[in-house]
Amino acid sequence: MNETPAGNRRVELHPILPPDTRAPVEFFWRGRALVAREGERIASALIAGGIDVFGHHPKDGSPQGIFCANGQCSQCTVIADGVPVKACMEAVRPGLRVEPLDGNPALPPVTRPPRFHAVAEVATDCLVLGGGPAGLAAASELGKAGVGVLLVDDKHRLGGKLVLQTHKFFGSIADCHAGMRGIDIATVLEEEVRALANVECWLEATAVGVFSDGGVGIVRGGREYVLVRPETLLVATGAREKMITFPGNTLPGVYGAGAFQTLVNRDQVRPAVKLFIVGGGNVGLIAGYHALQAGIPVVGLVEALAECGGYKVHADKLRRFGVPLHTRHTVVSANGTDRVESITIAAVDERWQARPGTERTYPCDTVLIAVGLDPVDEFYHKAVAFGLKAFAAGDAAEIAEASAAMFSGRIQGLEIARALGRDVPEVPTEWREKEAVLKSKPGAVAAEVLPAERDVQPVFHCCQEIPCDPCTSVCPEKAIVVGEDLRGRPRFLGEEFGKKCIGCGACVAICPGLAVTLVDWRRDPEFPIVTIAHEFPREWIRKGDRVTVLDTEGQALGEVEIVHVASAKKLDRALLVRARAPRAIARRIAGIRVQEPAVGEPMEHYVARLTDETVVCRCERVTAAELRALVRRGVRDVNELKAITRAGMGACGAKTCAALIRHLFLEEGVPADEITPNVERPLFVEVPFGVFSGTEIEDPSP
């Protein structure tokens, strides 16, 4: 087994998250004692203890580790007290004995004949699947309208992906808590829902299927099966991450941004020594920022397009913190034996293929895949097919930012209340307009505008049209505007409008993109004071330090002296760093370098992976070569591919490979209308037969 020394795998110093003070819990891995934290999932505890490989696949002996950290796959399966469980979903218990899953698990011995009980049935006005921003916002609207709501979520707390987001959110302060951190928005939304007497919440409850008789199957705590019969169903199940194929794509250490953020921001576990990111959308860019905050060096980011697809302010943050962004490049392979040891990338040609001779290899132990999201909408489509009164909100309806998901939830909440005959108004036109704005893609990029060299002036380093207005809301002088549209670029009105900046720094502190600085010329016009927002541990920067400052594009401007570091409750865990800078560069300073350029240097020679297995179906270890051979022989039915190779037959139910198989057909020149899709399983999440049939389960806990 690949068991590395634990070292310092706990995040013990973080600028946003408080120290983890949960009580220690002893458990055992292969007979060796390890220490977890109370309530921690097995996967996080193992990784904190230096364990990256949780078992080996029965087909080819390939190492298996954490992949989604979201209960959607079974790659992290281990044997806990003799029972196979998903390590990312099962909590550690005192004295728990965990063993690797090497091959197929053995069935536990039958100690007595099973006893059965009747499956409980529950009726409700509205069943909400998913306790993320959309589900919580909808439940709040429904509760206020007098609708009885049952909200179910498979995690141990409400908030969805918000509980993984330590950064401030974009959008509007008035409408979607812009300027607040995702972790705090989750708390606000949960408190709103918990205060409503007619909203009941089931945590650690997994929806597994929608049935033709109008029932929805729910497994509570992994042990109790309940059939819920709702009058209406709201699917707010969010999104799952897309995957791509490349040699080495299933090595332990290759996983999605959600898994990485779960480990770092929820469980405060440092899973990487050096991180490389594939994908330049908001998800990948934000995950890179979270890694830096946790003290994890980011070796680089690769993006096939000419520009990153996420907000420019997010990309700019990584550039000026010292992370190289390799646009017009792709991943060639992840390299290693038991886990990732390096990544090889190359430039792409006009056909999006790697150009021979441009390969470079970078040392890293973790490759984070952030190449987009797919809606988790199977529950909605099945409900519609069966004639249920079903609605969808958030990413389950359309992939967008969490701010848009909140609005989507509010709108669907009102729609459902009206469908149930409650006396509520129609959805305001203004809500739909705001939702459309919040869902809009990043707009045009303009040249940076530098203010005059006088008095004290804010400098806005956000050059792209995105929906965001916190700086306008917090300015005590009401001197910042974005125009009529939330997507307008902010500007300072100035003396010609009778406005004057008082140098309070509120706009600097609240900006979600860390894209506002303040330049004060009043004391020394030749060496003005520049105020910069800095969201890293205070221990990393002190008065008197000399630091390298960079412009918006990440170009080094020179060294400056730190003259003051301020932190206060009103700054919401951010630092305001003041530096004395030469006049020539003061207005162009956008940030402080966090990691040195040497971190992003490639190895002297690129590494070519010795084996060329590119896995499409992770569960059954089916390669692209196997599937291509069958397609070239004329197979056009995904079910036939499944019967021959077992692709899509694994525990995850084709959640990852279905899209990859469709893409493979298209790459082979097969038109979409010639492809027969796979038949979906009646249950969307695997369930032990005993639980599904109402068998009484013995409680293994002491």
Side-chain angles (χ1 to χ4, degrees), residues 218-405:
I218 309 291
V219 175
R220 301 188 67 183
R223 315 183 62 76
E224 179 191 7
Y225 181 70
V226 181
L227 195 61
V228 179
R229 297 194 178 278
E231 286 193 47
T232 55
L233 173 67
L234 175 64
V235 178
T237 40
R240 63 174 62 95
E241 288 168 301
K242 293 180 179 179
M243 190 56 184
I244 55 175
T245 55
F246 54 87
N249 62 328
T250 64
L251 278 171
V254 176
Y255 39 70
F260 181 83
Q261 290 170 319
T262 295
L263 291 165
V264 172
N265 291 343
R266 189 193 73 183
D267 299 334
Q268 298 190 45
V269 171
R270 184 184 289 108
V273 175
K274 286 186 176 182
L275 176 70
F276 202 99
I277 300 169
V278 178
N282 278 339
V283 173
L285 296 170
I286 290 170
Y289 180 48
H290 291 166
L292 293 172
Q293 287 183 310
I296 299 171
V298 182
V299 177
L301 179 148
V302 66
E303 167 58 54
L305 297 174
E307 297 290 341
C308 289
Y311 290 171
K312 187 175 184 298
V313 288
H314 285 319
D316 290 345
K317 276 193 299 187
L318 290 192
R319 287 190 181 100
R320 65 177 179 261
F321 293 148
V323 178
L325 306 185
H326 306 281
T327 55
R328 296 292 296 171
H329 280 71
T330 189
V331 55
V332 174
S333 64
N335 314 306
T337 304
D338 283 338
R339 68 156 300 142
V340 174
E341 297 171 9
S342 66
I343 184 173
T344 300
I345 70 172
V348 296
D349 59 22
E350 64 280 357
R351 296 180 296 110
W352 307 102
Q353 301 300 309
R355 285 194 296 140
T358 65
E359 297 91 348
R360 286 172 289 166
T361 297
Y362 294 84
C364 64
D365 64 334
T366 303
V367 174
L368 186 154
I369 307 297
V371 292
L373 301 169
D374 282 325
V376 179
D377 56 4
E378 53 266 28
F379 294 96
Y380 172 74
H381 292 301
K382 185 63 71 174
V384 170
F386 287 149
L388 276 69
K389 198 176 292 184
F391 301 77
D395 283 348
E398 181 181 352
I399 303 297
E401 298 299 309
S403 53

Side-chain angles (χ1 to χ4, degrees), residues 368-445:
L368 186 154
I369 307 297
V371 292
L373 301 169
D374 282 325
V376 179
D377 56 4
E378 53 266 28
F379 294 96
Y380 172 74
H381 292 301
K382 185 63 71 174
V384 170
F386 287 149
L388 276 69
K389 198 176 292 184
F391 301 77
D395 283 348
E398 181 181 352
I399 303 297
E401 298 299 309
S403 53
M406 290 178 230
F407 249 99
S408 173
R410 292 175 65 187
I411 290 170
Q412 293 304 312
L414 272 188
E415 293 281 20
I416 293 169
R418 286 177 59 80
L420 290 169
R422 300 305 193 270
D423 185 18
V424 295
E426 291 187 11
V427 176
T429 302
E430 179 186 3
W431 284 18
R432 297 194 187 278
E433 292 173 347
K434 288 182 177 179
E435 182 191 26
V437 169
L438 292 169
K439 285 182 176 179
S440 61
K441 303 298 182 184
V445 176

Side-chain angles (χ1 to χ4, degrees), residues 520-602:
D520 190 343
W521 308 84
R522 293 172 295 187
R523 181 171 299 179
D524 185 350
E526 293 303 316
F527 287 90
I529 302 300
V530 182
T531 301
I532 307 160
H534 198 64
E535 293 190 331
F536 292 91
R538 179 154 189 167
E539 292 82 353
W540 292 6
I541 192 165
R542 295 177 175 83
K543 179 181 177 180
D545 287 349
R546 292 194 64 81
V547 298
T548 299
V549 289
L550 303 97
D551 65 12
T552 301
E553 299 297 324
Q555 297 300 311
L557 298 172
E559 285 194 353
V560 300
E561 181 185 357
I562 303 301
V563 297
H564 188 254
V565 179
S567 61
K569 186 175 181 180
K570 66 179 181 179
L571 301 180
D572 188 18
R573 291 154 285 185
L575 302 176
L576 287 187
V577 177
R578 296 186 174 93
R580 184 171 179 266
R583 173 182 180 180
I585 65 170
R587 294 176 299 169
R588 295 170 56 204
I589 294 173
I592 298 168
R593 178 181 285 161
V594 172
Q595 68 179 24
E596 294 302 315
V599 173
E601 290 295 320

Side-chain angles (χ1 to χ4, degrees), residues 191-206:
E191 289 175 350
E192 289 177 2
V193 167
R194 296 285 192 186
L196 297 167
N198 52 330
V199 178
E200 183 179 1
C201 300
W202 289 358
L203 295 179
E204 297 186 282
T206 303

